mmCIF file of all heavy atoms in Angstrom:
data_model
loop_
_atom_site.group_PDB
_atom_site.id
_atom_site.type_symbol
_atom_site.label_atom_id
_atom_site.label_comp_id
_atom_site.label_asym_id
_atom_site.label_seq_id
_atom_site.Cartn_x
_atom_site.Cartn_y
_atom_site.Cartn_z
ATOM 1 N N ARG A 715 169.033 -12.211 38.361
ATOM 2 C CA ARG A 715 168.614 -13.070 37.244
ATOM 3 C C ARG A 715 169.787 -13.338 36.306
ATOM 4 O O ARG A 715 169.928 -14.429 35.775
ATOM 5 C CB ARG A 715 167.494 -12.405 36.454
ATOM 6 C CG ARG A 715 166.143 -12.638 37.059
ATOM 7 C CD ARG A 715 165.049 -12.102 36.164
ATOM 8 N NE ARG A 715 163.755 -12.391 36.763
ATOM 9 C CZ ARG A 715 162.629 -11.859 36.360
ATOM 10 N NH1 ARG A 715 162.614 -10.995 35.355
ATOM 11 N NH2 ARG A 715 161.486 -12.170 36.931
ATOM 12 N N VAL A 716 170.584 -12.316 36.136
ATOM 13 C CA VAL A 716 171.722 -12.459 35.222
ATOM 14 C C VAL A 716 172.704 -13.492 35.764
ATOM 15 O O VAL A 716 173.166 -14.374 35.047
ATOM 16 C CB VAL A 716 172.395 -11.087 35.016
ATOM 17 C CG1 VAL A 716 173.754 -11.235 34.365
ATOM 18 C CG2 VAL A 716 171.494 -10.187 34.177
ATOM 19 N N MET A 717 173.011 -13.386 37.052
ATOM 20 C CA MET A 717 173.994 -14.334 37.599
ATOM 21 C C MET A 717 173.445 -15.761 37.629
ATOM 22 O O MET A 717 174.167 -16.718 37.421
ATOM 23 C CB MET A 717 174.470 -13.885 38.991
ATOM 24 C CG MET A 717 173.416 -13.887 40.065
ATOM 25 S SD MET A 717 174.106 -13.583 41.713
ATOM 26 C CE MET A 717 174.240 -11.811 41.751
ATOM 27 N N ALA A 718 172.138 -15.894 37.864
ATOM 28 C CA ALA A 718 171.560 -17.234 38.003
ATOM 29 C C ALA A 718 170.948 -17.753 36.702
ATOM 30 O O ALA A 718 170.493 -18.897 36.660
ATOM 31 C CB ALA A 718 170.495 -17.224 39.101
ATOM 32 N N GLY A 719 170.959 -16.915 35.676
ATOM 33 C CA GLY A 719 170.342 -17.313 34.398
ATOM 34 C C GLY A 719 170.777 -18.698 33.923
ATOM 35 O O GLY A 719 169.925 -19.527 33.564
ATOM 36 N N PRO A 720 172.092 -19.017 33.934
ATOM 37 C CA PRO A 720 172.504 -20.340 33.451
ATOM 38 C C PRO A 720 171.854 -21.507 34.210
ATOM 39 O O PRO A 720 171.527 -22.529 33.612
ATOM 40 C CB PRO A 720 174.026 -20.321 33.647
ATOM 41 C CG PRO A 720 174.389 -18.887 33.513
ATOM 42 C CD PRO A 720 173.260 -18.134 34.163
ATOM 43 N N GLU A 721 171.659 -21.352 35.526
ATOM 44 C CA GLU A 721 171.027 -22.438 36.302
ATOM 45 C C GLU A 721 169.587 -22.657 35.832
ATOM 46 O O GLU A 721 169.088 -23.792 35.803
ATOM 47 C CB GLU A 721 171.020 -22.102 37.806
ATOM 48 C CG GLU A 721 172.379 -21.984 38.447
ATOM 49 C CD GLU A 721 173.106 -23.310 38.608
ATOM 50 O OE1 GLU A 721 173.211 -24.057 37.609
ATOM 51 O OE2 GLU A 721 173.588 -23.601 39.707
ATOM 52 N N ASN A 722 168.958 -21.561 35.502
ATOM 53 C CA ASN A 722 167.572 -21.623 35.040
ATOM 54 C C ASN A 722 167.493 -22.251 33.652
ATOM 55 O O ASN A 722 166.705 -23.171 33.405
ATOM 56 C CB ASN A 722 167.054 -20.173 35.025
ATOM 57 C CG ASN A 722 165.607 -20.055 34.624
ATOM 58 O OD1 ASN A 722 165.114 -20.840 33.820
ATOM 59 N ND2 ASN A 722 164.925 -19.078 35.163
ATOM 60 N N ILE A 723 168.343 -21.776 32.765
ATOM 61 C CA ILE A 723 168.254 -22.204 31.368
ATOM 62 C C ILE A 723 168.704 -23.653 31.198
ATOM 63 O O ILE A 723 168.107 -24.426 30.455
ATOM 64 C CB ILE A 723 169.077 -21.250 30.470
ATOM 65 C CG1 ILE A 723 168.504 -19.818 30.570
ATOM 66 C CG2 ILE A 723 169.097 -21.724 29.021
ATOM 67 C CD1 ILE A 723 167.049 -19.647 30.198
ATOM 68 N N LYS A 724 169.746 -24.040 31.926
ATOM 69 C CA LYS A 724 170.234 -25.429 31.782
ATOM 70 C C LYS A 724 169.140 -26.422 32.171
ATOM 71 O O LYS A 724 169.083 -27.530 31.630
ATOM 72 C CB LYS A 724 171.510 -25.651 32.591
ATOM 73 C CG LYS A 724 171.284 -25.990 34.057
ATOM 74 C CD LYS A 724 172.539 -26.440 34.769
ATOM 75 C CE LYS A 724 172.188 -26.834 36.207
ATOM 76 N NZ LYS A 724 173.272 -26.907 37.124
ATOM 77 N N ALA A 725 168.278 -26.007 33.113
ATOM 78 C CA ALA A 725 167.197 -26.908 33.549
ATOM 79 C C ALA A 725 166.335 -27.334 32.365
ATOM 80 O O ALA A 725 165.864 -28.466 32.303
ATOM 81 C CB ALA A 725 166.344 -26.231 34.623
#
Side-chain angles (χ1 to χ4, degrees):
Chain A
R715 276 187 178 168
V716 166
M717 65 172 82
E721 296 289 51
N722 182 328
I723 299 302
K724 84 170 183 198

